[in-house]
Structure formats: C-alpha cells, structure tokens
Amino acid sequence: MENQFTITTSCIIEANTIFINDEKVFESDEDSFVEFAKSAYKNFGINYPKFFKMDNLSKLAFLASEMVLNEQIVAESENNIALVFANQSSSLDTDVKYQHSIDDKGNYFPSPAVFVYTLPNICVGEISIKHQLKSENAFFVFEENNEVFLTQYAKSLLQSKKASKVLCGWVEYFEEKYLAKLFLVE
C-alpha cells in the first residue's frame, strides 16, 4: 500500500496454524482441515452455527475474516468494509464433490446444499451475511497470488470512497491444501 493507506491487521492460516499480525495465536495437530477448522472455531468462541454447513473454502475464508474483523465490526453501525479475495482453484474442491454426487448413478443425490458452494464468491457472501456487510465485494481467480492487483483494487475502493476499509487477500483450498492470507487495509 502507498503511504496514505495502511495494513492494520493481517491473518495467515496454513498448516493447522493461525497467525494474527505475524504472531501465532492458534495451532492444532488435527489430521484434517475440517477438524482443524472446528477446533479453531471452538477455541475462539465463534458463534455462527451456519459455519458447520459451509464448504471448506468458505470455512477457511470465514475463519480468517473472523480473526481480522472481530475487533473491527461495530454492531448497529454500517460497516463499510469491502471484501476482495482471490485464489487459484476457485471452488474446485466442492465442484469435484458435487460432480461425484452426479456421477454415482447408484447413489444419485446432487445436494442443493453442496451446489450452492460451487461458486467461490459464496465465501464472501457468508462473511457479508455474518457481519451484515452491504459493501463492495469481489472474488478473483488467478494462477498465483496477485498481490499487486489486489493492492491496486483495494486502493481504488478506498480512494473512490466506495469503502472505508478493505479486507483483501488470498484464500486457497483444494484437497486439504490450504492457505489464507488476509489483510485489512484502511
């Protein structure tokens, strides 16, 4: 970010570990992402039952955003925080699971509850619903983490006053490999 905007909070989630502003705040030795996510959810006292219905990409984005937005959201106020995320695999992890439910002719049951997560921007919607954010949001798919693009996009939202803060970064999940790197810029 240029001088006029500052990264005030960051969160990295990888390898069963959560860092906030480069400080390790949680670690677990769970075998799967689902168990790690559940363990982190309980550890931080998050209360959002819909979390358990989310796909893994949404759980990852939701957990990382909770770490950053926890102190930022003011109840009963308009929180003009834009969400700008990107990843490499889009919603492929869920897409594959959904396709398997269609391919299995003996157990054909394509679930609408899974289908809704076959778009990557659903994770942005989950965060917006939780925090009642009615602000700008976008989800991009790139070959690799494109911090230059995300920085320019966040800067544009702040300069044009379409947002007072921007939560942006990389949220990648595919077949138990995951990385969330979110930054709050204001």
Side-chain angles (χ1 to χ4, degrees):
M1 289 287 119
E2 291 187 16
N3 294 339
Q4 68 191 76
F5 303 114
T6 306
I7 294 173
T8 56
T9 310
S10 66
C11 176
I12 297 174
I13 300 177
E14 63 181 341
N16 287 0
T17 308
I18 299 175
F19 299 89
I20 299 176
N21 297 329
D22 297 324
E23 179 183 338
K24 186 189 301 183
V25 296
F26 180 76
E27 185 174 32
S28 119
D29 57 358
E30 303 292 346
D31 291 332
S32 69
F33 174 77
V34 170
E35 291 303 315
F36 163 72
K38 186 190 311 180
S39 177
Y41 176 93
K42 290 180 179 176
N43 179 70
F44 291 101
I46 300 168
N47 183 18
Y48 192 64
K50 194 174 177 190
F51 175 82
F52 296 101
K53 295 180 180 178
M54 295 178 192
D55 72 337
N56 289 332
L57 176 63
S58 294
K59 285 179 180 173
L60 179 62
F62 184 87
L63 280 175
S65 69
E66 284 299 297
M67 300 300 113
V68 175
L69 296 177
N70 187 29
E71 301 292 323
Q72 298 294 323
I73 298 296
V74 178
E76 310 298 325
S77 293
E78 182 178 336
N79 295 286
N80 191 12
I81 302 171
L83 304 173
V84 181
F85 295 172
N87 77 3
Q88 179 182 43
S89 300
S90 182
S91 57
L92 188 58
D93 192 73
T94 299
D95 297 351
V96 168
K97 291 174 184 164
Y98 189 73
Q99 184 62 46
H100 286 315
S101 73
I102 294 171
D103 290 343
D104 187 355
K105 300 298 179 200
N107 190 19
Y108 183 82
F109 187 71
S111 169
V114 175
F115 179 75
V116 75
Y117 290 102
T118 59
L119 294 170
N121 62 339
I122 295 302
C123 67
V124 173
E126 296 285 8
I127 296 162
S128 295
I129 292 168
K130 163 71 164 67
H131 294 293
Q132 299 296 305
L133 299 176
K134 299 174 181 93
S135 49
E136 295 281 324
N137 66 68
F139 197 106
F140 298 95
V141 178
F142 297 113
E143 285 290 320
E144 57 190 34
N145 190 356
N146 191 337
E147 291 182 357
V148 171
F149 176 86
L150 293 173
T151 300
Q152 290 172 342
Y153 199 94
K155 182 179 165 184
S156 168
L157 290 171
L158 293 167
Q159 286 177 332
S160 64
K161 303 202 182 307
K162 289 185 176 177
S164 56
K165 300 176 184 178
V166 179
L167 178 62
C168 61
W170 186 256
V171 183
E172 169 68 16
Y173 184 95
F174 185 60
E175 295 183 337
E176 289 291 325
K177 294 179 183 150
Y178 60 92
L179 171 63
K181 289 176 75 175
L182 296 185
F183 305 93
L184 185 68
V185 182
E186 46 189 305

